Amino acid sequence: MPTPAVSPPPATFNFAQHLIERNAGRGAKAAYIDDQGQLSYAELAQRIRRMASALAGAGVRREERVLLLMHDCNDWPVSFLGAMHAGIVPVAVNTLLTADDYAYMLEHSRASAVLVSAALLPLLQSALTRGEHEVRRIVVSRPSGPLPAGAQEFEAFLAQGEPHAAPAATGPDDPGFWLYSSGSTGRPKGTVHLQGNPYWTAELYGSPILGLREDDICFSAAKLFFAYGLGNALTFPLSVGATTVLMAERPTPEATFRRWTQLRPTVFFGAPTGFAGMLSSPELPARDQVALRLCSSAGEALPAEIGERFTRHFGVEIIDGIGSTEMLHIYLSNRVGAVRYGTTGTPVPGYDIELRSEDGRPVPDGEPGDLYVRGPSSALLYWNNREKTRETFQGGWTKSGDKYIHNADGTYTYAGRSDDMLKVSGIYVSPFEVEATLVQHPAVLEAAVIGVPDAEGLTKTKAFVVLKPGQKTDEAELKAFVKERLAPYKYPRLIEFLSELPKTATGKIQRFRLREREALAP
């Protein structure tokens, strides 16, 4: 629970106004740098107030939802925080989905307005023709041509607002914003967060664990619509007065390296898949070409081999942690100067962790258990989904859906998703442990492991492997490689080579897609 050293937010608390007040003395400093220019802290504050006033003037009422379908750019934080400033609830959505997905989200959230990037406007228009919705206003960021009837250009809309608008008198327990889950196991769930939740992630993780400073330049490969990216590129840097680099395009190694070498970020936030791709890129910059002092990883557990290789090359640690959309950010993490690659570290002070068996009892050290977490940044509920809400939010505890092992030294080791764990010959096998071993092979870029039934109905492990460009190996070599490093029963009985693995839009491997693929195989 909250540590005594961290004071709770006051009874009247508006997160957007909180950030404006924290940076009142930094008016001329760059808050954001995107692909088209800079936005100072003074400009950010004024535009947040204008957006709040413009939304209210357009008839959007307090606690109504506005859909935020926008690529990472300087207009994104203005839109998100402007809505929160007015007590309106921004619903930040993934920019890589289909028109059907957006049609569902528009109907499910009952959004009364949409703030959208020009490049995504055709998708939005298609979504609006499908199903029912309550959208009354469309505001388009950075259009390059004429707009459809009923749509308004972002700057013109913003100009209608009052630059000195007062914040809504919200409290920390008022609805703040929504994030949709990735939907890797079905329809995405509208996760309702409160005005006070990002305050807690900044106070418990951003400042004490990452140690972000005013002189930092932050750059997140994870986009702002993702809970991880929202903390990295908005909550944490704005809470300490740092500068943030935003990138609209996909975070390919080449795009990332350009910004590392040209804009010189000091803190980078990525995911294991991205770090693996960068390390295998022929364009990987030298240590003296970058200004990095710290990196963070989340989304999936970071294989030890990737972390160790990165640190050897750049002399910089990757702080691996686990968070979730439901908890808003990381609650279990490694520490600067005390990284134990291959583990996810220890609980972030302010959060409680329990590992439980299937019948709800504590599990002993060394055995996998379902991870439950308790802390002040937990979401309120899944909108209009009582069944899933009760399944995930259990009293003060949130069931993460991950399995972990508690080690004797107090650290935790990832053991896979609860629905991904395999029982082979009566013994639990962690897919992640096998995957982490496979990627240590010099030819392997990525691996995913699932269980498949044999002719007798018993579970066998099967690995799907993606090789690095230009590398070669075979099934026998990889099996022998794993046998040398893990208990014999853990090696994959079957190996199939693929050109790529199925993933969610946020880069998480969709093992259920591989299971479906196997079920359809002749």
Side-chain angles (χ1 to χ4, degrees), residues 403-417:
K403 282 191 180 288
Y404 264 84
I405 295 169
H406 184 253
N407 304 311
D409 64 357
T411 61
Y412 288 76
T413 300
Y414 182 63
R417 291 288 297 172

Side-chain angles (χ1 to χ4, degrees), residues 60-91:
V60 184
R61 295 171 296 183
R62 183 164 163 174
E63 295 189 14
E64 284 190 332
R65 272 77 63 193
V66 295
L67 202 77
L68 179 49
L69 175 57
M70 193 177 290
H71 290 135
D72 282 17
C73 67
N74 292 346
D75 290 344
W76 204 105
V78 169
S79 302
F80 184 85
L81 293 172
M84 291 187 73
H85 193 270
I88 293 164
V89 179
V91 180

Side-chain angles (χ1 to χ4, degrees), residues 278-346:
M278 288 187 287
L279 286 170
S280 64
S281 170
E283 298 182 23
L284 184 71
R287 180 183 298 196
D288 61 5
Q289 292 179 281
V290 304
L292 297 174
R293 70 171 185 86
L294 179 67
C295 290
S296 165
S297 179
E300 287 192 306
L302 179 74
E305 188 265 347
I306 292 175
E308 289 162 357
R309 283 174 56 204
F310 190 93
T311 298
R312 282 197 301 270
H313 183 85
F314 288 109
V316 173
E317 293 178 319
I318 300 178
I319 308 301
D320 184 32
I322 182 176
S324 66
T325 303
E326 292 75 11
M327 295 303 294
L328 189 55
H329 213 274
I330 289 171
Y331 50 79
L332 182 64
S333 178
N334 274 277
R335 302 295 195 275
V336 176
V339 171
R340 277 205 57 198
Y341 286 129
T343 80
T344 315
T346 57

Side-chain angles (χ1 to χ4, degrees), residues 5 262 375 519:
Q262 294 174 12

